[in-house]
Amino acid sequence: MNIRCREHSAGGRDAVLQGSVWMVEEGCNCHYRRGDVSLSPLTFPPWMHEILKACMLGIGLPDPETWPNCCSVAAYAQGSDCTDWHADDQLLFPASPTNFRSSSLWLWLGETRTLELRPKAKGEESLDGQVELVGGDIYTMEGSVQSHFLHRVPRAEFAGLSVCLIWRWIVAHDPEHCICEL
């Protein structure tokens, strides 16, 4: 897999570089948008299904029909690679406190990093919580979290590689690019 570097900017801040790839199940052509960046989809390669199987069985989702249908793969090549405050609340993923398909599942690989959270309504310097992202761990972020909180992976003081696979369920397919019925 060739991970490409893309610029992300938020709120007029300096852009940060982060390698990212957007992957979807075969037959889907939904694009991923965050701010002014749009990622075209790549179809899940065979190895993605192998990783999905191992992880989904481990968290109690044995039926492939219930597995996520998309994945954002982000590479943090060094400590200066980071993401700014944001919510993954795109129209593809309508939030629902009662539907597990509005959640995201994170598989963190590589060096330990920190995930910070704050309510959307609070000021820029407010921090309400943090989670240590440890290589090999799987995390979940429920859909209502995306509705009410922002999150980020801040800069770190090490130079090790980390890769994050964030699986989601596309519930509302992108009518501009996709006509699938997954």
Side-chain angles (χ1 to χ4, degrees), residues 117-128:
L117 296 126
R118 72 169 191 203
K120 285 183 176 180
K122 284 203 174 178
E124 179 121 349
E125 298 305 315
S126 174
L127 176 65
D128 262 23

Side-chain angles (χ1 to χ4, degrees), residues 9 14 18 35 40 42 45-46 56 61 64 70 72 81 89 98 103 107 114 121 127 131 133-134 139 154 169 178 182:
S9 61
D14 292 338
Q18 176 189 345
S40 298
L42 300 174
M56 296 305 114
L61 291 176
C70 63
S72 173
D81 288 348
D89 54 1
T98 59
S103 301
L107 173 61
T114 301
L127 176 65
V131 175
L133 302 169
V134 179
Y139 304 85
W169 288 264
C178 190
L182 294 178

Side-chain angles (χ1 to χ4, degrees), residues 5-169:
C5 287
R6 299 202 176 266
E7 282 195 21
H8 294 265
S9 61
R13 296 176 175 214
D14 292 338
V16 295
L17 290 178
Q18 176 189 345
S20 56
V21 174
W22 170 242
M23 295 183 176
V24 296
E25 279 286 359
E26 186 174 353
C28 181
N29 196 37
C30 290
H31 290 220
Y32 180 85
R33 290 183 186 83
R34 191 167 97 199
D36 58 353
V37 175
S38 177
L39 299 178
S40 298
L42 300 174
T43 300
F44 279 174
W47 58 261
M48 179 61 77
H49 293 284
E50 293 174 31
I51 294 173
L52 269 168
K53 182 177 181 180
C55 292
M56 296 305 114
L57 291 176
I59 63 168
L61 291 176
D63 182 1
E65 295 297 317
T66 65
W67 296 352
N69 58 9
C70 63
C71 183
S72 173
V73 181
Y76 298 82
Q78 53 191 339
S80 60
D81 288 348
C82 60
T83 57
D84 205 352
W85 291 110
H86 69 283
D88 297 316
D89 54 1
Q90 295 84 353
L91 296 177
L92 297 174
F93 317 116
S96 168
T98 59
N99 184 348
F100 75 91
R101 285 186 165 91
S102 67
S103 301
S104 60
L105 301 171
W106 297 39
L107 173 61
W108 192 265
L109 302 170
E111 296 289 333
T112 299
R113 295 288 295 258
T114 301
L115 174 72
E116 296 179 342
L117 296 126
R118 72 169 191 203
K120 285 183 176 180
K122 284 203 174 178
E124 179 121 349
E125 298 305 315
S126 174
L127 176 65
D128 262 23
Q130 58 186 35
V131 175
E132 193 172 78
L133 302 169
V134 179
D137 284 354
I138 298 175
Y139 304 85
T140 182
M141 190 178 297
E142 305 304 318
S144 56
V145 171
Q146 302 287 0
S147 295
H148 302 289
F149 286 84
L150 300 174
H151 62 277
R152 73 174 181 172
V153 175
R155 295 182 191 280
E157 294 190 24
F158 63 85
L161 174 66
S162 298
V163 176
C164 182
L165 285 79
I166 303 175
W167 289 297
R168 303 284 306 261
W169 288 264

